[in-house]
Amino acid sequence: MTIPFKTLTAAKNAAQSGDTIIVLPGTYNENNLAKNGVNWHFLTGANLEYSGTGSALFDTTGSAASFKVTGSGVFKTTNVSGGVRAFSLANNADVATVQFDRIEARGQAIYSAGTLTATGNEAKSTA
């Protein structure tokens, strides 16, 4: 909380394994936030609302990752044609624990080839 970053991506890039990034209330339009050993905590009012194409909000394509997402985050993908997932664990070795208030996704909300524990109030998907 003492070192604020302008973007979530900047916080992820600066974080080291074992760090937890605290996400303050606001709306963020970013994706590809998974990083091995880096955890996230979303405070009430923190919304991750991605409107682009490409990788998921939290995507492990390319290298296995172990991480946690906790708190009251709202995760939303809005690209009509892209079908971007909120969480995509592409590797068998991936391990993630995800806590959320709500997920709304065009296409699949969550995909996991690894081990995923998800707890939330509401998840909506067009797939």
Side-chain angles (χ1 to χ4, degrees), residues 2-127:
T2 60
I3 307 171
F5 289 90
K6 192 168 190 150
T7 66
L8 301 181
T9 301
K12 175 191 97 167
N13 291 341
Q16 298 177 11
S17 184
D19 287 347
T20 297
I21 298 168
I22 307 294
V23 182
L24 299 174
T27 300
Y28 305 88
N29 185 10
E30 298 183 58
N31 70 327
N32 198 23
L33 297 174
K35 184 174 182 179
N36 189 38
V38 174
N39 303 306
W40 295 82
H41 183 78
F42 286 77
L43 298 177
T44 301
N47 302 307
L48 187 51
E49 208 171 295
Y50 183 63
S51 60
T53 60
S55 64
L57 304 180
F58 290 86
D59 194 338
T60 63
T61 301
S63 61
S66 177
F67 62 94
K68 292 181 182 178
V69 176
T70 59
S72 300
V74 173
F75 305 102
K76 187 173 183 180
T77 62
T78 59
N79 186 295
V80 175
S81 62
V84 175
R85 299 172 177 137
F87 295 90
S88 183
L89 279 65
N91 305 289
N92 290 338
D94 290 334
V95 177
T97 300
V98 177
Q99 179 183 14
F100 57 89
D101 181 39
R102 188 172 74 247
I103 295 175
E104 295 179 33
R106 298 279 184 174
Q108 289 180 319
I110 298 171
Y111 169 80
S112 179
T115 302
L116 172 71
T117 303
T119 305
N121 292 322
E122 180 180 15
K124 292 181 181 181
S125 170
T126 60

